[in-house]
Amino acid sequence: MELPWTEKYRPKKLKDMVGQEHITDRLEAYVKVKSMPHLLFAGPAGCGKTTAALCIARELFGDIHQGFLELNASDERGIDVVRTKIKDFARTRPIGSEFKIIFLDEADALTPEAQNALRRTMESYTETCRFILSCNYSSKIIEPIQSRCAIFRFKRLKKEDIARMVEHILKEEKVKHTKDGIDAIVYISEGDLRKAINVAQTAAALGHVDEKSVFSIASRARPEDIKNMMGLALKGKFLDARNLLDSLMLAQGLSGEDILLQMNSEAMNLELPDEKKVHIVDLVGETNFTLVEGANERIQLEALLARLASVGK
């Protein structure tokens, strides 16, 4: 069975990881001495936290099925999981290595009670087991656990790193592609390599990766369309801007929130004084709040375009 590209091209060694050199260099030092403290990986999705944990286990043990336990805390987040699965695995002695590794993904989803139980388990079984915790927000991990871990903060990947990886995969898969197609994938991914690879694979199913195919399958508007719509509104051409909004929502099927997110990004690229950019971002924020509260998205977005007309005067 053909694997998803995110798994097929997942790095096997730390040195093969993309864009996190400041972290992989330190982790490779642990591998060389075959010893490590408890680790806490924090950062946004798709930046390499899970891959780093798997690479460490593979380089230390060879076979990650031996002495390695992976759990997702968002599925099993209660105290019973810590008292049963985690504790039972941690208390048994490792075979063929100094210690075992428990990788707890999305650890910030653990309840406070489960985190306190985990803290005690980390204390009791340090000789036989090391923990790698992965989370999006380290602030949601209790201080006693943070103080017991070496903390690594992963950052969003650079555009050039994502572009290089996507282009490499498309060449390996012998998929026809264009530079504007790769640029579109990079724009949509927003620093998330997993998202970029998934979009690339989906677009490749159409036979050719170009700008049009990428934006059509990703439910995103071209940045030029968003910028053009805002520019028309700012010039007082409300009806033209409204027609373009209709095209985005009706023809392309974009939601109001999707459009607002892109408007928020493109506001910084408008050729306007900074104070007007600030005002636009504030108006987008107000509109987003009204949508969250349940207001009609069509009416609110048209009202936003009307407000932008007043900003442009």
Side-chain angles (χ1 to χ4, degrees):
M1 183 181 294
E2 181 72 14
L3 287 172
W5 288 359
T6 51
E7 294 302 323
K8 185 176 180 180
Y9 292 96
R10 186 189 289 275
K12 299 294 189 293
K13 294 185 177 181
L14 289 166
K15 66 179 182 180
D16 298 328
M17 288 183 62
V18 175
Q20 302 291 355
E21 291 82 6
H22 65 296
I23 289 176
T24 54
D25 289 346
R26 293 166 61 191
L27 296 180
E28 284 179 330
Y30 293 143
V31 172
K32 286 180 181 178
V33 298
K34 296 189 180 300
S35 179
M36 56 177 255
H38 301 305
L39 306 178
L40 175 60
F41 296 163
C47 61
K49 301 187 298 297
T50 300
T51 296
L54 294 173
C55 286
I56 289 173
R58 191 175 285 110
E59 293 190 45
L60 285 173
F61 304 147
D63 180 8
I64 63 172
H65 299 292
Q66 181 71 32
F68 182 77
L69 175 66
E70 181 179 358
L71 295 171
N72 192 305
S74 63
D75 296 329
E76 304 171 284
R77 60 194 302 269
I79 194 170
D80 289 341
V81 176
V82 178
R83 288 175 173 170
T84 54
K85 283 188 179 181
I86 293 177
K87 196 171 183 180
D88 289 345
F89 183 82
R91 75 201 322 172
T92 57
R93 290 218 160 259
I95 300 174
S97 61
E98 294 293 322
F99 55 86
K100 296 184 291 185
I101 293 177
I102 295 178
F103 174 50
L104 198 55
D105 201 2
E106 299 185 45
D108 45 357
L110 285 171
T111 63
E113 294 79 11
Q115 289 193 42
N116 277 304
L118 178 63
R119 173 184 62 83
R120 291 192 293 272
T121 303
M122 292 171 71
E123 283 178 344
S124 303
Y125 301 104
T126 303
E127 289 187 7
T128 58
C129 190
R130 301 289 190 277
F131 285 82
I132 301 178
L133 309 182
S134 169
C135 64
N136 295 128
Y137 307 102
S138 60
S139 58
K140 293 185 178 179
I141 304 295
I142 61 174
E143 284 294 332
I145 287 181
Q146 291 193 46
S147 67
R148 286 167 173 78
C149 296
I151 301 177
F152 293 82
R153 301 195 183 279
F154 287 68
K155 58 187 179 182
R156 292 188 181 278
L157 297 180
K158 296 178 182 177
K159 293 180 179 180
E160 53 267 29
D161 289 332
I162 292 179
R164 187 170 64 251
M165 187 64 182
V166 169
E167 187 171 16
H168 165 71
I169 291 173
L170 292 175
K171 286 180 178 178
E172 287 289 316
E173 295 292 329
K174 296 180 174 57
V175 176
K176 293 181 181 179
H177 58 278
T178 62
K179 185 181 183 302
D180 62 7
I182 292 177
D183 290 343
I185 291 173
V186 172
Y187 173 79
I188 288 168
S189 69
E190 296 178 329
D192 182 337
L193 182 56
R194 179 169 56 233
K195 185 176 183 179
I197 295 173
N198 280 329
V199 170
Q201 185 171 10
T202 307
L206 301 176
H208 185 65
V209 177
D210 57 13
E211 185 183 60
K212 184 178 180 181
S213 65
V214 170
F215 282 119
S216 67
I217 60 98
S219 297
R220 295 287 292 272
R222 295 189 311 131
E224 293 82 4
D225 290 340
I226 296 292
K227 195 173 179 180
N228 188 26
M229 180 183 70
M230 297 174 73
L232 289 170
L234 289 165
K235 292 175 183 176
K237 299 179 180 180
F238 173 76
L239 291 180
D240 291 337
R242 183 175 177 271
N243 289 337
L244 189 45
L245 174 64
D246 286 345
S247 173
L248 294 174
M249 296 187 71
L250 301 179
Q252 298 187 36
L254 299 180
S255 70
E257 189 172 1
D258 291 335
I259 294 173
L260 286 176
L261 285 171
Q262 288 190 254
M263 289 179 71
N264 187 65
S265 298
E266 293 303 320
M268 295 298 104
N269 298 324
L270 296 172
E271 296 179 0
L272 292 172
D274 286 348
E275 59 268 21
K276 288 196 174 184
K277 291 180 181 179
V278 170
H279 193 184
I280 291 171
V281 171
D282 185 37
L283 292 175
V284 171
E286 286 183 13
T287 305
N288 184 62
F289 178 76
T290 60
L291 293 189
V292 172
E293 290 294 301
N296 182 280
E297 62 180 15
R298 178 76 175 275
I299 294 174
Q300 293 303 316
L301 283 168
E302 289 185 5
L304 174 59
L305 294 179
R307 294 190 191 104
L308 290 183
S310 64
V311 171
K313 289 182 180 179

